[in-house]
């Protein structure tokens, strides 16, 4: 009887440790997220399931073109692409991204640009026109959705404070047929 009781206790202890470990990993390191909407099309699709790396920015700084998850509205997280880092001057002119006066290629938009015939994929703008500031403020990011015509992003909601960033995401794990690493 004592041996059976001890065995149950060991199993219970192992289950509690496993649940605590899984909870800790999910809360502090990795978490699943579901893409809602089409603002990141064609890179991400509605209902794609992804893994968010929560420690990516605790170790290093965000990089231009990272796909991040951040707290936007009350209880809602957004998934967007980092375009501007603190101190950057961002401008769009003739469907081309300029950062600090230098043009940048956005290969993830090439196919969409080919399909647009009624104007640019991304309307021309400067940060000063949008928000009255020449550069991205310290401690903030400027983000855009890849579906530029139908994305609620920094053009509409402003600069994203770094403390609102949940983490970086690049792994789609569901649906299984679309599992991939995105750039």
């Amino acid at each position: 009887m004592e041996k059976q009781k001890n065995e149950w206790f060991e199993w219970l202890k192992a289950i509690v440790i496993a649940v605590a470990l899984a909870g800790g990993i999910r809360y502090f390191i990795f978490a699943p997220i579901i893409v809602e909407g089409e603002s990141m099309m064609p890179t991400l699709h509605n209902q794609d399931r992804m893994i968010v790396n929560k420690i990516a920015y605790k170790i290093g700084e965000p990089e231009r073109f990272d796909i991040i998850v951040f707290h936007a509205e009350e209880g809602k997280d957004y998934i967007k692409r980092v375009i501007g880092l603190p101190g950057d001057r961002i401008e769009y002119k003739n469907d081309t991204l300029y950062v600090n006066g230098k043009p940048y290629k956005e290969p993830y938009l090439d196919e969409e640009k080919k399909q647009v015939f009624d104007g640019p994929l991304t309307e021309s703008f400067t940060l000063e026109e949008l928000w009255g500031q020449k550069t991205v403020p310290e401690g903030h990011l400027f983000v855009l959705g890849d579906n530029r015509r139908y994305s609620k992003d920094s053009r509409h909601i402003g600069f994203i404070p770094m403390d609102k960033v949940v983490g970086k995401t690049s792994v789609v794990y569901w649906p299984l047929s679309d599992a991939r690493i995105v750039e």
Side-chain angles (χ1 to χ4, degrees), residues 19 35 38 45 63 72-74 92 140 153 155 166 176:
V19 168
V35 176
E38 298 179 349
H45 303 98
E63 294 181 18
E73 300 168 354
E74 187 71 29
Y92 251 93
H140 290 76
D153 48 38
R155 295 172 292 178
V166 175
L176 219 44

Side-chain angles (χ1 to χ4, degrees), residues 40 57 62-70 79-86 88 90 97 106 108 140-146 148 160 162 165 167-168:
M40 283 297 291
Y57 294 144
E63 294 181 18
R64 190 173 333 284
F65 306 127
D66 282 352
I67 298 174
I68 64 167
V69 176
F70 60 93
I79 299 174
K80 304 292 177 196
R81 190 178 295 274
V82 174
I83 299 297
L85 301 169
D88 283 346
I90 303 297
L97 168 65
E106 296 180 282
Y108 48 86
H140 290 76
L141 300 171
F142 186 85
V143 299
L144 294 175
D146 289 357
R148 299 291 165 79
I160 309 305
M162 286 291 293
V165 176
K168 177 181 174 178

Side-chain angles (χ1 to χ4, degrees), residues 139-180:
H140 290 76
L141 300 171
F142 186 85
V143 299
L144 294 175
D146 289 357
N147 191 353
R148 299 291 165 79
R149 290 184 165 189
Y150 306 101
S151 176
K152 187 175 180 183
D153 48 38
S154 284
R155 295 172 292 178
H156 310 97
I157 62 174
F159 302 106
I160 309 305
M162 286 291 293
D163 64 356
K164 297 283 187 187
V165 176
V166 175
K168 177 181 174 178
T169 184
S170 60
V171 177
V172 175
Y173 68 89
W174 194 264
L176 219 44
S177 60
D178 288 337
R180 66 195 182 282

